[in-house]
Amino acid sequence: MLPEASPHADVRVVADSLRAAIATRYRESDGERYGITAEQFCGIVAAVVLRYAWDASEAEKIDLIGTLHIADLILSRACSHGNEAAWEVFLTRFRAPLYEAAYRITTDEATARELADELYANLYGFSGADGQRRSKLDYYMGRGSFEGWLRTVLSQQFVNRYRSRRHEVSLDQELEAGVGFAAPPATDERQPNDCVVTAVAQTLAELSAEERFLLTSWYLDQRTLADIGRQLKVHESTISRRMERLIGTVRKRVRKRLQGSGLSSRQCDEVMRDLDVRDLNVNVAASLKQETPLETFNK
Amino acid sequence: MKENRIEDVKQPQSNPLIQELAKRHRAEPHPDENVLTAFAEHALMDGERETVMQHLSTCKQCRDVLSLAVAAIPEATIQEKQNSLPVGPRFRSYLRWIAGAAGLAVVSSAVLLHERNVRLRQHPVNPAVNVAKGEAVPPLGNQPSQSVMAPGQAAVREQTPTRTAKTVPTPQQNQSSTVASLDRNEQKVATPQPEAPQANQSVVMGALKPEVASGTVEIHGPVSAKANSMSPSAFHDAATAPALTEGLAPGLSAGFTGVSARTHWRIGATGQAERSFDNGPWTPVKPDATTRIRVVSVFGNEVWLGGEDLRLYHSQDDGTTWHLVPLLTKIRGEHAITHIRFQSEQAGTVEADEGTQWTTVDGGRTWK
């Protein structure tokens, strides 16, 4: 269970070796410019280490400290403390990119503005559960870039908003728009053979997390190869090659398991035709058992 | 792999692969925005990445957040990241070859430059300037092809614009920082160096300016009043040859002998050789309290002083200790050593004012 997120930690719990690493990073930063003292900085970084590497080795903790985006972290905390110079820098650097990111996420100008304004309000400050004023900026921990974090927060906000409003669709509007409603699946629809289900389940269990991620992104989420490539920071053609190899591997292993369970070669061919994973267009309404919306957001 | 995902053919709902992929296997806490951002930027530790990937493979909500966040990255940033080192196992294997080729290129360049320097040393250009009667010793800079400047300064002037021009901005940089660094480097070059030689017109980098590659610097002092009735004139000093190696790649400087500190030499008003370390105070060097020195020549740690009465002094430790070099001569009258030129530590020529020359090929042990 991860420790609760907190903007600051008690510096007394920080080991001397970590203090030295933190002090080095402070010297590289412009914390003094924004009124962040070395002690405050130590507390901020200690909170990050406590949150993400509480059970890691000392070397890993020092590595983590070395990878933090210190300049962004200082800026965010200075803004959170109300430092005007910091806010000036923040608005200069991030105001326009924030609105642009919101537009790319929502593809609608009005919704984008609403989303960005909502985030700005949270960044300026909101009342916490204990009645104290908190800023969303306190939750930026410097693991990734500040701009990247802002994009992720916007995305999370959008997903939460969509999930909370998906039941608020007007039926009349939907009908007028010509939206059809899918009929429930036929009850006599052929169900997969148990041995096929078992073979597929066992094959998928052998795959690595990344391979499962590729398959779910491709088949369940209907992402494009370019989208998946951007998420994994590899080229689209690399994803294409990986997918082809992966699908070939899945087919071979499933077939081998089916043959091992007693199916003849001809029977395997018939079964594999039903399991043809090369040309799939999935209606996730019935097959998804996760409690997630039917549609993806990046149409 | 075709990209056109939307097709009219619908698979039966019973597709076991889709059903299996869609199953929730275990409930794990969602990674927070910091972790998702770090995942998207490849900034997670290895163990963390595996855990997050495991979660993403089973959680559509987090996959959607990640997909949206990545889709919101500006195109310019994506292009910069694609131009930087990509992450991919195939490219990683290419990296080894690229690194090896780059290393080979560096070593080959170093060897070629060294050989070129050796050839140039064997056919040097004389940087010496003879003292004109009654005139101040001109800075070597008046002869642009032979001038000497503070090597560090030279190195900065020659190398920095190229380095800066070749800088590829990383996603963390932007054009303004590259331009700013250009400005900063130009300002650094413009700052005058204290105690540096007057000349600042050419570069003492053997690879770039072949005519100044001998490594020998010859300094002349005033002609004595007894010989030519001249008044003492201005002097100049120059950094010793070892300092000329500053700014060169380490492999190149290995061909030169020298001390790490920059030593400057000059001939004082009284005809004494004087030495300064790293722009410190000038201190007289007195191999012989009575002889007036007329010429100083330096090659690495080897320092030669030529003076009146055909006195030739040699130091092998940058002027700390000296010994008198006997030169056999049939010259009559009072003459002085006025020229000393060494092409290497071993081979050099000494010349008197009336033209007699002595040559050594064994570092001054024997002379012809």
Side-chain angles (χ1 to χ4, degrees), chain B residues 43 51 57 89 105 111 129 214-215 262 283 286 288 346 355:
Chain B
T51 305
S57 67
V111 168
V129 175
S214 66
R262 286 171 53 185
T283 54
K286 299 178 182 178
D288 183 339
Q346 303 297 314

Side-chain angles (χ1 to χ4, degrees), chain A residues 114-213:
Chain A
E114 207 179 309
L115 201 70
D117 288 344
E118 189 183 328
L119 176 59
Y120 263 117
N122 286 333
L123 295 178
Y124 276 120
F126 57 93
S127 292
D130 52 1
Q132 282 197 338
R133 184 177 169 280
R134 304 287 291 273
S135 166
K136 183 76 178 172
L137 291 167
D138 285 333
Y139 294 94
Y140 171 64
M141 295 290 187
R143 295 297 309 272
S145 67
F146 198 13
E147 193 170 332
W149 179 81
L150 290 169
R151 282 193 291 264
T152 308
V153 171
L154 274 175
S155 305
Q156 183 71 70
Q157 219 169 277
F158 183 69
V159 168
N160 291 344
R161 167 196 284 242
Y162 191 92
R163 281 163 61 82
S164 68
R165 291 186 182 181
R166 69 187 173 99
H167 294 300
E168 297 173 2
V169 172
S170 162
L171 278 176
D172 292 335
Q173 284 178 353
E174 292 281 294
L175 285 170
E176 282 174 11
V179 174
F181 295 93
T187 52
D188 59 347
E189 192 171 327
R190 188 159 56 90
Q191 295 300 320
N193 197 319
D194 281 345
C195 63
V196 174
V197 172
T198 306
V200 169
Q202 287 174 347
T203 301
L204 290 182
E206 288 174 346
L207 299 179
S208 68
E210 187 165 327
E211 287 168 335
R212 284 185 61 91
F213 174 80

Side-chain angles (χ1 to χ4, degrees), chain A residues 51-52 101 104-105 136 139-145 148-149 151-153 155-156 158-160 163 189-190 192 196 200-201 204 209-210 212-213 215-226 230-234 236 240-242 244 247 274-275 277 279-283 286-288 290-293 296-298, chain B residues 1-3 5-25 29-45 48-50 53-54 56-75 77-78 81-82 86-90 172:
Chain A
R51 167 91 177 137
Y52 298 108
R104 275 188 219 99
I105 290 168
K136 183 76 178 172
Y139 294 94
Y140 171 64
M141 295 290 187
R143 295 297 309 272
S145 67
W149 179 81
R151 282 193 291 264
T152 308
V153 171
S155 305
Q156 183 71 70
F158 183 69
V159 168
N160 291 344
R163 281 163 61 82
E189 192 171 327
R190 188 159 56 90
V196 174
V200 169
L204 290 182
E210 187 165 327
R212 284 185 61 91
F213 174 80
L215 290 176
T216 48
S217 297
W218 178 251
Y219 292 116
L220 289 190
D221 303 339
Q222 299 187 32
R223 306 258 186 257
T224 62
L225 295 173
R230 275 195 287 272
Q231 290 175 44
L232 297 181
K233 289 176 77 77
V234 294
E236 182 181 338
S240 175
R241 282 192 296 273
R242 278 195 205 170
E244 285 198 29
I247 291 165
D274 291 337
L275 187 67
V277 299
D279 299 296
L280 284 176
N281 183 27
V282 178
N283 183 346
S287 62
L288 271 182
Q290 297 176 2
E291 292 179 359
T292 51
T296 57
F297 297 102
N298 54 336
Chain B
M1 198 79 195
K2 52 185 170 184
E3 272 286 9
R5 302 286 335 282
I6 307 301
E7 296 180 2
D8 293 334
V9 176
K10 289 191 178 181
Q11 292 288 327
Q13 310 309 317
S14 57
N15 188 294
L17 177 64
I18 303 303
Q19 289 181 0
E20 194 59 36
L21 283 172
K23 279 181 188 170
R24 186 201 301 266
H25 289 275
H30 298 290
D32 62 22
E33 291 104 345
N34 289 283
V35 174
L36 281 179
T37 306
F39 177 88
E41 296 178 358
H42 259 233
L44 288 179
M45 297 182 281
E48 268 183 315
R49 184 175 169 78
E50 185 65 23
M53 189 72 82
Q54 189 67 37
L56 287 171
S57 67
T58 59
C59 177
K60 181 165 171 46
Q61 178 186 342
C62 289
R63 287 200 303 273
D64 284 340
V65 171
L66 177 67
S67 174
L68 284 171
V70 171
I73 297 175
E75 281 302 318
T77 309
I78 294 172
K81 287 178 181 174
Q82 284 180 348
V87 177
R90 186 172 290 192
Q172 299 295 332

Side-chain angles (χ1 to χ4, degrees), chain B residues 26-157:
Chain B
R26 57 176 179 270
E28 280 188 359
H30 298 290
D32 62 22
E33 291 104 345
N34 289 283
V35 174
L36 281 179
T37 306
F39 177 88
E41 296 178 358
H42 259 233
L44 288 179
M45 297 182 281
D46 288 340
E48 268 183 315
R49 184 175 169 78
E50 185 65 23
T51 305
V52 173
M53 189 72 82
Q54 189 67 37
H55 178 87
L56 287 171
S57 67
T58 59
C59 177
K60 181 165 171 46
Q61 178 186 342
C62 289
R63 287 200 303 273
D64 284 340
V65 171
L66 177 67
S67 174
L68 284 171
V70 171
I73 297 175
E75 281 302 318
T77 309
I78 294 172
Q79 195 58 42
E80 281 175 9
K81 287 178 181 174
Q82 284 180 348
N83 288 341
S84 64
L85 290 178
V87 177
R90 186 172 290 192
F91 193 79
R92 282 196 205 106
S93 66
Y94 291 157
L95 270 180
R96 283 186 225 116
W97 293 104
I98 292 168
L104 192 63
V106 167
V107 169
S108 306
S109 303
V111 168
L112 285 170
L113 282 169
H114 178 62
E115 285 179 1
R116 189 179 183 188
N117 287 338
V118 168
R119 277 202 305 275
L120 289 169
R121 262 185 262 138
Q122 292 170 355
H123 304 284
V125 175
N126 184 4
V129 175
N130 287 323
V131 175
K133 292 182 182 178
E135 290 178 4
V137 175
L140 289 178
N142 287 349
Q143 301 183 23
S145 65
Q146 299 169 352
S147 62
V148 175
M149 61 186 293
Q153 193 176 13
V156 170
R157 183 167 293 191

Side-chain angles (χ1 to χ4, degrees), chain B residues 240 263-266 272-275 277 283-289 293 295-307 311-325 340:
Chain B
T240 57
T263 313
H264 298 261
W265 288 91
R266 74 179 184 184
Q272 282 183 337
E274 293 179 350
R275 180 180 61 180
F277 290 113
T283 54
V285 174
K286 299 178 182 178
D288 183 339
I293 301 300
V295 60
V296 176
S297 178
V298 179
F299 192 97
N301 273 342
E302 311 280 331
V303 186
W304 298 87
L305 301 179
R311 299 274 184 160
L312 181 65
Y313 299 94
H314 178 213
S315 171
Q316 290 177 301
D317 49 15
D318 204 33
T320 306
T321 58
W322 297 91
H323 68 270
L324 180 64
V325 178
I340 304 173

Side-chain angles (χ1 to χ4, degrees), chain A residues 245-279:
Chain A
R245 264 200 309 268
L246 179 57
I247 291 165
T249 301
V250 167
R251 287 180 61 81
K252 264 189 220 168
R253 289 184 188 175
V254 168
R255 188 184 179 86
K256 193 175 175 184
R257 285 197 158 92
L258 290 174
Q259 285 177 325
S261 65
L263 268 63
S264 67
S265 181
R266 189 181 161 194
Q267 286 171 319
C268 285
D269 290 340
E270 283 178 13
V271 167
M272 295 302 288
R273 259 200 301 273
D274 291 337
L275 187 67
D276 193 346
V277 299
R278 285 172 296 184
D279 299 296

